[in-house]
Amino acid sequence: LPLYFVENHGQLDDQVAYYLHGGETSVYFTPSGVVYALTEPRPPGSESPFSEASYAESPPRRRWAVKLEFVGANPEARPAGVERTEAIVSYFKGPREEWKTGLPTYAGVVYRDLWPGIDLQYTGSEGQLKYTFLVHPGADPSRIRLAYRGAEEISVGPAGHLESKAPVGGFVDGRPVAWQEKQ
């Protein structure tokens, strides 16, 4: 299934423009960077997350945030939805006047001109989040600088992917790939 990037219409903190919710990881797109909210995995053999017993008997799971910051980036760059999908999301929480219904979703999020001539686009499918730097003609790719805040360790795995580790788990960024499109 594709990933759906949900637009924030007041259901989350005002700093969040778009977000993705996953089983144990949520991703929040803000003007200053991307926040990965990690949740400690359920212990093996634990109850189904949908059973009443799992909530009554399970100890709370720890959470941790890792923020990907865009170093030296354009402070005016804002995430924007790309390719609106037919899926909509609704939240029926609290009094009726606080419900959020018919929220739009998108196939991706882009930060345009994050660095001069460089866009950053997020997409995803099959539960995998992917990001792509679009370096336009004449732009300097050496301006791309990222910092991971909150990670215990960042390393390059044997297959060339970037591994981010935190106290409750982590995530992997796929091996970089570069290509040039003909004009």
Side-chain angles (χ1 to χ4, degrees):
L1 293 175
L3 296 181
Y4 293 107
F5 296 77
V6 182
E7 190 170 359
N8 183 14
H9 282 263
Q11 68 273 25
L12 296 176
D13 186 280
D14 289 343
Q15 293 180 46
V16 176
Y18 297 86
Y19 61 95
L20 295 169
H21 279 306
E24 293 171 346
T25 303
S26 295
V27 184
Y28 303 98
F29 300 89
T30 74
S32 63
V34 178
V35 177
Y36 297 85
L38 309 171
T39 302
E40 184 174 44
R42 292 185 185 281
S46 66
E47 295 286 327
S48 161
F50 302 107
S51 72
E52 288 183 37
S54 70
Y55 292 108
E57 299 170 11
S58 297
R61 297 187 296 159
R62 296 181 305 155
R63 293 184 50 92
W64 194 266
V66 175
K67 183 176 184 184
L68 174 61
E69 292 181 349
F70 310 133
V71 179
N74 174 4
E76 301 301 315
R78 298 287 183 264
V82 176
E83 294 181 39
R84 187 165 174 173
T85 70
E86 293 182 19
I88 58 169
V89 174
S90 295
Y91 289 91
F92 302 103
K93 185 176 179 182
R96 185 179 203 99
E97 58 272 7
E98 293 178 14
W99 292 359
K100 305 295 182 193
T101 60
L103 302 176
T105 64
Y106 296 84
V109 167
V110 65
Y111 290 83
R112 295 195 195 289
D113 209 31
L114 191 55
W115 292 278
I118 301 171
D119 301 338
L120 172 56
Q121 183 168 347
Y122 282 85
T123 57
S125 65
E126 299 177 17
Q128 299 293 313
L129 181 64
K130 176 184 176 185
Y131 62 90
T132 304
F133 290 103
L134 304 169
V135 181
H136 301 283
D140 180 5
S142 70
R143 297 197 64 158
I144 300 171
R145 294 183 35 219
L146 306 171
Y148 287 87
R149 308 282 186 219
E152 285 185 323
E153 181 182 340
I154 302 291
S155 61
V156 177
H161 51 268
L162 188 67
E163 299 176 1
S164 304
K165 296 179 183 170
V168 299
F171 55 93
V172 174
D173 286 336
R175 185 173 149 215
V177 176
W179 71 92
Q180 182 174 352
E181 295 180 359
K182 290 185 176 184
Q183 296 289 335

